[in-house]
């Protein structure tokens, strides 16, 4: 699952993190990448949002800091109900206004089968400058992922469409894209766009087969829609 939760503030301007928690809990994902997460920030009532979400969903939470913000921290997070073998919060280059990082986990999804699960939130700057920055961030991420030499799922808010230079770079590196179908606009702000993705790359001994994909119609809780993909893993 991938979900940009907008720090719990809905398009109705109501701050209510329980709505995000209920959506995640209802889908019961094994792995969940969350973007725009606050950690004890004033604007979100100074609570640890990933601790709250982990408690409500009964999953293990990991926070990845972008920067200090409003007497707390702002960044991203992952939730998992599978054992984690290791975690790295990887700092990414060339962010303009907000530092960027990616959370990289090695996850044991079954006995004798570990995969890499990556949560991203690339730079949001528009036009050529943004494209350059996102591509640089993707290249830094791939450089690190390649050292792990495992089947990999990357999910999150890429802030770019499937035909962008950044996404085409992932394709060149062997990643396959999960197709969402005709209803593919994951961002539902003023200008709708397909910028949230799930992509994957198989390994010699681990193969992902997509079974289903859902882009949930949830018009209020965030300006992004929850994206859920179910895989069969062959190993």
């Amino acid at each position: 699952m991938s979900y940009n939760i907008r720090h719990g503030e809905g398009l109705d301007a109501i701050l209510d993190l329980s709505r995000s928690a209920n959506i995640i809990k209802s889908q019961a994902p094994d792995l969940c990448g969350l973007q725009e997460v606050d950690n004890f920030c004033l604007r979100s009532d100074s609570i640890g949002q990933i601790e709250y979400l982990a408690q409500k969903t009964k999953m293990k939470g990991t926070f990845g800091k972008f920067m200090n913000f409003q007497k707390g921290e702002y960044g991203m997070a992952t939730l998992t109900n599978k054992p984690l073998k290791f975690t790295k919060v990887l700092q990414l280059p060339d962010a303009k206004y907000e530092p960027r990082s990616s959370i990289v986990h090695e996850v044991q999804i079954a006995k004798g089968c570990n995969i890499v699960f990556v949560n991203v939130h690339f730079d949001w700057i528009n036009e050529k400058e943004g494209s350059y920055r996102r591509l640089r961030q993707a290249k830094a991420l791939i450089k690190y992922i390649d050292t792990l030499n495992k089947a990999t799922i990357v999910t999150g808010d890429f802030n770019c469409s499937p035909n962008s230079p950044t996404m085409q770079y992932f394709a060149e590196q062997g990643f396959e894209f999960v197709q969402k179908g005709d209803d593919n606009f994951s961002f539902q702000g003023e200008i709708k766009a397909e910028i949230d993705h799930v992509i994957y790359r198989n390994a010699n001994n681990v193969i992902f087969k997509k079974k289903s994909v859902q882009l949930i119609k949830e018009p209020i809780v965030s300006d992004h829609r929850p994206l859920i993909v179910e895989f069969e893993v062959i190993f």
Side-chain angles (χ1 to χ4, degrees):
M1 181 175 185
S2 178
Y3 196 13
N4 182 322
I5 64 170
R6 202 181 185 227
H7 66 272
E9 182 179 350
L11 292 179
D12 54 3
I14 294 174
L15 178 69
D16 184 356
L17 192 61
S18 70
R19 300 188 295 189
S20 301
N22 288 337
I23 290 171
I24 298 165
K25 188 175 180 180
S26 71
Q27 296 301 317
D30 293 307
L31 303 166
C32 180
L34 302 173
Q35 303 86 45
E36 294 194 24
V37 179
D38 282 355
N39 198 31
F40 302 105
C41 297
L42 292 174
R43 69 175 176 182
S44 49
D45 294 338
S46 298
I47 70 167
Q49 291 195 329
I50 190 56
E51 293 177 11
Y52 174 90
L53 291 170
Q55 181 182 42
K56 291 296 183 181
T57 60
K58 294 181 171 55
M59 299 174 77
K60 177 180 176 60
T62 301
F63 180 75
K65 174 183 172 181
F66 282 176
M67 63 184 185
N68 295 328
F69 182 71
Q70 291 192 356
K71 298 188 176 181
E73 299 172 326
Y74 170 70
M76 61 197 310
T78 58
L79 294 167
T80 176
N81 64 14
K82 297 293 186 182
L84 299 178
K85 307 306 289 184
F86 80 82
T87 295
K88 181 176 180 62
V89 178
L90 179 69
Q91 301 303 311
L92 299 178
D94 294 309
K96 186 170 185 179
Y97 299 117
E98 300 173 356
R100 295 282 149 168
S101 59
S102 176
I103 305 177
V104 182
H105 295 295
E106 183 179 337
V107 186
Q108 183 181 39
I109 61 169
K111 186 176 181 181
C113 182
N114 292 358
I115 69 166
V116 173
F117 178 70
V118 182
N119 181 15
V120 302
H121 189 187
F122 290 150
D123 210 317
W124 54 268
I125 303 299
N126 293 325
E127 300 178 345
K128 287 185 178 181
E129 182 182 9
S131 181
Y132 165 79
R133 293 177 186 279
R134 285 185 291 274
L135 183 56
R136 289 271 295 157
Q137 290 163 7
K139 287 182 176 180
L141 177 62
I142 290 292
K143 183 178 180 180
Y144 179 72
I145 290 174
D146 283 348
T147 68
L148 304 177
N149 195 29
K150 285 184 169 58
T152 301
I153 296 172
V154 183
T155 190
D157 180 354
F158 291 70
N159 266 316
C160 53
S161 65
N163 61 355
S164 65
T166 296
M167 299 310 294
Q168 291 308 302
Y169 174 74
F170 278 109
E172 291 166 4
Q173 301 305 307
F175 281 85
E176 299 182 53
F177 298 4
V178 173
Q179 303 299 324
K180 307 176 188 69
D182 294 336
D183 181 20
N184 58 7
F185 290 153
S186 59
F187 178 71
Q188 54 188 359
E190 185 176 343
I191 300 174
K192 293 178 172 52
E194 184 184 4
I195 58 176
D196 302 85
H197 308 289
V198 173
I199 64 176
Y200 61 96
R201 186 170 69 183
N202 296 323
N204 290 334
N205 58 340
V206 178
I207 297 173
F208 299 112
K209 291 183 67 175
K210 188 201 77 175
K211 294 184 67 178
S212 65
V213 57
Q214 299 179 69
L215 193 53
I216 295 178
K217 294 183 182 298
E218 175 42 71
I220 298 298
V221 175
S222 173
D223 55 356
H224 289 248
R225 297 164 63 186
L227 175 60
I228 300 98
V229 177
E230 183 181 8
F231 287 106
E232 178 183 3
V233 184
I234 301 169
F235 62 98

